[in-house]
């Protein structure tokens, strides 16, 4: 399923409204629900071409190799990126908070990533692992959602705390390669499981195990279009447990055309102490990337 202009049915939107996931700003003109369970929205003209160009220019000299927690999949990430100081993207952060319908303090520092030819980001979740307190992960609760209920995440001992919304905005158009692909929309069905199918009726911990190479469930993909925002949900809201939705596993396929993307992760709680919660790659730099303001 490559993205088309067709909106999903009103019934699908009603299911989202009644779901365990955070409610974004559904009254925002131009916001479309394009996939249900996992829920994915797009806004096709969220940023202008000039804004996209300004963000690429701001980040270009600060890009460094990016990493991710790949202990479950042995995947790779070969993009480069950087983090902007919040004061240099203050207006943009306000708009992103408005789209997500959250307080500004729920936004972690904004990231900008570049995928040059051949660069990719293999299967991953944007959810943040619960605090295991030094214990190994339970095979039937891979992202430590039970520990999350008791201990929160490392650096934020709040029950149910998690990343609950991801917004990314493509800063270039890619005709070839670079699609964002959700190939595990019923994540454990290929292995004979039913947790993925049951998750939307009864959210809870899961194994996270899937067919990494072959996918599991009907695939869905979006080709990058400059200025288009994409919204999806790595976990349920904190009041619903902050449970990781493994059906929202996704990947960035290898780029052919140069791909740039802005990433804004939204947390369930406001004003977390980012230096205690996030790794160094996600923290603000000491200085602004450039004098320009967005």
């Amino acid at each position: 399923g490559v993205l088309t202009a067709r909106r999903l049915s009103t019934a699908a939107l009603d299911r989202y409204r009644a779901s365990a996931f955070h409610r974004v700003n559904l009254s925002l003109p131009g916001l479309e629900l394009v996939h249900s369970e996992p829920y994915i929205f797009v806004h096709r003209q969220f940023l202008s071409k000039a804004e996209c160009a300004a963000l690429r220019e701001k980040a270009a000299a600060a890009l460094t190799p990016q990493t991710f927690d790949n202990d479950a999949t042995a995947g790779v990430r070969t993009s480069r990126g950087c983090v902007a100081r919040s004061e240099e993207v203050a207006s943009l952060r306000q708009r992103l908070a408005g789209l997500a319908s959250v307080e500004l303090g729920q936004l972690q520092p904004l990231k900008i990533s570049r995928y040059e030819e051949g660069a990719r980001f293999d299967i991953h979740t944007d959810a943040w692992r619960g605090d295991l307190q030094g214990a190994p992960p339970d095979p039937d609760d891979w992202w430590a959602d039970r520990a999350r209920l008791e201990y929160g995440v490392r650096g934020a001992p709040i029950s149910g705390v998690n990343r609950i919304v991801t917004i990314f905005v493509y800063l270039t158009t890619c005709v070839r390669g670079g699609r964002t692909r959700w190939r595990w929309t019923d994540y454990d069905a290929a292995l004979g499981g039913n947790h993925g199918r049951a998750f939307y009726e009864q959210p809870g911990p899961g194994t996270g195990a899937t067919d990494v190479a072959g996918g599991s469930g009907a695939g869905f993909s979006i080709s990058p279009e400059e200025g288009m925002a994409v919204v999806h949900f790595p976990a349920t809201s904190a009041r619903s447990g902050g449970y990781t939705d493994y059906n929202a596993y996704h990947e960035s396929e290898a780029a052919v055309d140069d791909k740039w993307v802005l990433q804004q992760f939204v947390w369930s709680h406001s004003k977390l102490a980012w230096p205690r919660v996030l790794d160094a790659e996600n923290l603000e730099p000491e200085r602004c990337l450039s004098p320009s303001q967005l």
Side-chain angles (χ1 to χ4, degrees):
V2 175
L3 178 63
T4 67
R6 183 178 61 84
R7 285 176 180 266
L8 292 188
S9 67
T10 301
L13 197 56
D14 288 342
R15 285 198 301 274
Y16 165 69
R17 287 191 179 101
S19 75
F21 296 93
H22 174 76
R23 181 87 58 84
V24 297
N25 184 4
L26 298 178
S27 65
L28 183 69
L31 189 65
E32 305 173 47
L33 179 65
V34 295
H35 194 276
S36 181
E37 298 180 356
Y39 297 102
I40 305 169
F41 290 85
V42 301
H43 190 294
R44 294 171 189 276
Q45 295 179 317
F46 188 76
L47 293 181
S48 68
K49 288 184 177 294
E51 288 169 325
C52 292
L55 286 164
R56 296 194 306 267
E57 182 178 357
K58 176 179 282 293
L63 302 174
T64 59
Q66 295 176 310
T67 62
F68 77 117
D69 186 343
N70 65 349
D71 61 354
T73 64
V76 301
R77 181 180 193 180
T78 52
S79 56
R80 296 186 299 141
C82 62
V83 176
R85 286 196 63 83
S86 294
E87 62 262 33
E88 62 184 319
V89 287
S91 176
L92 177 53
R93 282 169 51 84
Q94 289 281 1
R95 290 165 62 187
L96 290 163
L99 168 57
S101 194
V102 296
E103 297 177 21
L104 196 60
Q106 290 173 249
L107 306 186
Q108 76 173 58
L110 183 147
K111 300 181 74 172
I112 302 169
S113 299
R114 183 182 187 183
Y115 294 79
E116 296 169 274
E117 185 174 4
R120 71 182 202 265
F121 188 178
D122 291 343
I123 177 176
H124 61 283
T125 174
D126 291 340
W128 205 258
R129 201 172 217 156
D131 187 355
L132 287 162
Q133 302 273 295
D138 188 328
D140 73 352
D141 181 17
W142 187 250
W143 224 233
D145 286 324
R146 293 192 191 98
R148 179 190 320 284
L149 287 174
E150 187 168 358
Y151 303 115
V153 301
R154 189 171 59 185
I158 305 168
S159 180
V161 65
N162 206 342
R163 284 171 167 174
I164 56 168
V165 180
T166 295
I167 303 171
F168 49 87
V169 185
Y170 299 119
L171 304 179
T172 50
T173 295
C174 296
V175 176
R176 302 169 301 163
R179 291 177 300 170
T180 305
R181 303 198 296 184
W182 290 262
R183 296 197 297 116
W184 303 272
T185 58
D186 189 353
Y187 84 92
D188 58 348
L191 304 183
N194 62 5
H195 180 256
R197 192 173 303 114
F199 184 82
Y200 300 104
E201 295 298 324
Q202 190 173 6
T207 67
T210 191
D211 182 344
V212 171
S216 183
F220 182 75
S221 62
I222 298 179
S223 295
E225 295 178 12
E226 188 177 28
M228 181 167 67
V230 179
V231 183
H232 74 110
F233 305 86
T236 66
S237 66
R239 68 175 178 273
S240 298
Y243 292 113
T244 302
D245 183 4
Y246 299 106
N247 297 317
Y249 276 145
H250 55 290
E251 66 181 357
S252 179
E253 73 172 344
V256 179
D257 298 334
D258 199 18
K259 175 184 176 181
W260 288 75
V261 62
L262 169 161
Q263 295 136 297
Q264 179 62 71
F265 300 111
V266 181
W267 286 74
S268 54
H269 293 76
S270 184
K271 299 179 180 178
L272 300 180
W274 298 129
R276 293 206 293 264
V277 174
L278 301 175
D279 51 33
E281 187 177 306
N282 284 284
L283 295 176
E284 290 179 279
E286 291 184 5
R287 298 180 181 84
C288 289
L289 300 177
S290 74
S292 66
Q293 300 286 311
L294 286 107

